Amino acid sequence: MVSIAVNKGRDNVAMLGIGAYRPQRVVTNAEVCETLDSTPDWIFERTGIHNRRWISGDETIRSIAAAAGERALNNTPIDRSKIGAVILCTSSWLKLTPHGAPSVAFDLGLNGVAAFDLTSGCGGFCYGLGVAADLIRAGSFDYVLVIGAETMTVGLDPTDRGTAMIFGDGAGAVVVGPAEDNGISPTVWGSDGENAEAIAQDVDFLEYMNKAQALQGTDPAVEAVGRMSLHMEGPKVFRWAAVTLPRALSAALESSGVAKEDIEVFVPHQANARINELMKKNLGLAEGVPIANDIENTGNTSAASVPLAIEEMLVTGKAKGGQLALLLGFGAGLSYAGQVVTLPPAPKEPSF
């Protein structure tokens, strides 16, 4: 019987470098309130957000993803020719076909490598990090570039109080590769499809196209198409998070073999500052453990929020390379993914 070759993987993997891109336009709560029926103080009290970044000018999801990837590659001490795959974690790439990762890989001078998109809402980056680590451990690749990039504002209804004040745009990326000591624990992940519609587009693509086609025929019975927008049932998502995420965090610690007393940094998805502080308290992390708060000036950037938050903490000195951090991404799906990691070195080329 002929035997099939088995890839020889690496047991120890880590994030070797990080890069990020923050759009140039800063949007204050006051500017949001010019359209939204709210006040700047109310928005901050409920979300922890003062400002967010929105794309403008010639910025696109493709350009910001490539910019974050370029910085991650420049901040990593390996030649980019060693990158075997690019994973683009996003829910806001504007086309189903072609998917985004091959185009971004081309922009980075990596044309020809394996490249695919991963869509898992706000948990996307942590999903991508888990996939990258497992691909390297399986021997499929030596190095993988993971990019979380979103232009959430492209699909927002500016009058929707459930989303318009929360979301922003941005991109973050890491290079994952072999390391002397393991720096990425097994990923703990899951989903709740029963309640998935709590975060959803208001119409699907087929319905949207059918309405547009009917309007071209000026059918008076068809409503105006309008924008395809993201909507969220905040209370339902909050209840899901309150029940599910504490269990996910505990499972991530147990899977890593690391005690909560050993965690030095907490980097949850930047969905809501109040939720994040509550998670830290319920988990019983030490009072002095810093928690990411990039949401204050970046907003909720979905799949980009975790790498952006890591980069902000490293650049400002709130965290240091080599420290043990607990990550958790969660949101649309409803899905989540988390792991314990060793933080990469502070970037030589920061985003701000």
Side-chain angles (χ1 to χ4, degrees):
M1 181 176 180
V2 177
S3 62
I4 299 174
V6 177
N7 285 339
K8 295 181 179 179
R10 312 290 186 97
D11 291 332
N12 295 336
V13 297
M15 294 186 289
L16 306 179
I18 188 168
Y21 182 87
R22 299 167 193 272
Q24 297 298 307
R25 183 184 173 193
V26 178
V27 179
T28 65
N29 286 348
E31 182 175 345
V32 171
C33 291
E34 292 174 5
T35 304
L36 195 68
D37 181 19
S38 189
T39 67
D41 289 343
W42 189 92
I43 292 175
F44 179 71
E45 289 169 3
R46 294 300 182 98
T47 66
I49 300 172
H50 275 309
N51 306 296
R52 71 284 292 147
R53 301 289 188 104
W54 290 1
I55 58 169
S56 61
D58 59 358
E59 293 172 327
T60 65
I61 188 167
R62 178 171 175 172
S63 72
I64 69 174
E70 181 69 26
R71 286 175 173 164
L73 291 168
N74 291 341
N75 290 325
T76 304
I78 66 162
D79 189 278
R80 72 182 61 203
S81 64
K82 295 183 178 180
I83 299 294
V86 174
I87 303 174
L88 177 62
C89 309
T90 184
S91 297
S92 50
W93 190 262
L94 295 179
K95 292 183 178 181
L96 294 177
T97 305
H99 57 290
S103 298
V104 174
F106 169 77
D107 293 344
L108 293 170
L110 299 173
N111 199 43
V113 303
F116 60 93
D117 293 6
L118 189 157
T119 301
S120 189
C122 300
F125 175 80
C126 290
Y127 264 78
L129 186 62
V131 170
D134 287 350
L135 285 170
I136 295 168
R137 290 191 179 107
S140 297
F141 308 104
D142 289 329
Y143 296 91
V144 177
L145 176 63
V146 182
I147 305 172
E150 302 282 16
T151 50
M152 299 298 294
T153 57
V154 173
L156 288 184
D157 176 354
T159 64
D160 180 5
R161 289 175 60 88
T163 58
M165 69 180 70
I166 298 171
F167 289 103
D169 304 328
V174 296
V175 174
V176 181
E180 184 175 344
D181 298 310
N182 189 44
I184 302 176
S185 76
T187 300
V188 170
W189 32 24
S191 65
D192 178 9
E194 181 180 2
N195 293 298
E197 291 298 317
I199 304 175
Q201 291 176 199
D202 52 357
V203 295
D204 62 36
F205 286 107
L206 181 60
E207 181 182 359
Y208 191 82
M209 290 186 292
N210 286 341
K211 283 187 175 183
Q213 188 174 28
L215 281 174
Q216 287 179 348
T218 63
D219 184 342
V222 179
E223 298 179 1
V225 179
R227 293 184 62 173
M228 184 185 294
S229 301
L230 178 71
H231 292 281
M232 179 167 62
E233 299 176 45
K236 179 179 284 189
V237 174
F238 187 91
R239 289 193 297 270
W240 170 80
V243 173
T244 305
L245 301 186
R247 293 202 300 259
L249 289 167
S250 297
L253 285 174
E254 182 178 355
S255 178
S256 72
V258 173
K260 65 181 178 181
E261 291 78 14
D262 296 321
I263 295 297
E264 299 172 284
V265 183
F266 182 35
V267 189
H269 164 52
Q270 302 295 284
N272 184 294
R274 295 194 304 168
I275 291 177
N276 291 345
E277 287 289 350
L278 183 62
M279 283 195 293
K280 177 187 174 183
K281 180 180 178 181
N282 290 344
L283 190 60
L285 295 179
E287 184 68 26
V289 171
I291 179 173
N293 192 39
D294 194 44
I295 190 173
E296 184 171 344
N297 288 301
T298 306
N300 178 344
T301 54
S302 191
S305 83
V306 169
L308 281 169
I310 293 173
E311 195 246 9
E312 190 273 340
M313 296 187 83
L314 292 171
V315 171
T316 59
K318 298 171 188 173
K320 298 179 181 179
Q323 287 187 307
L324 278 180
L326 175 60
L327 311 183
L328 181 68
F330 57 91
L334 297 170
S335 58
Y336 64 87
Q339 53 269 111
V340 173
V341 303
T342 300
L343 292 178
K348 297 174 291 185
E349 187 180 347
S351 64
F352 59 93

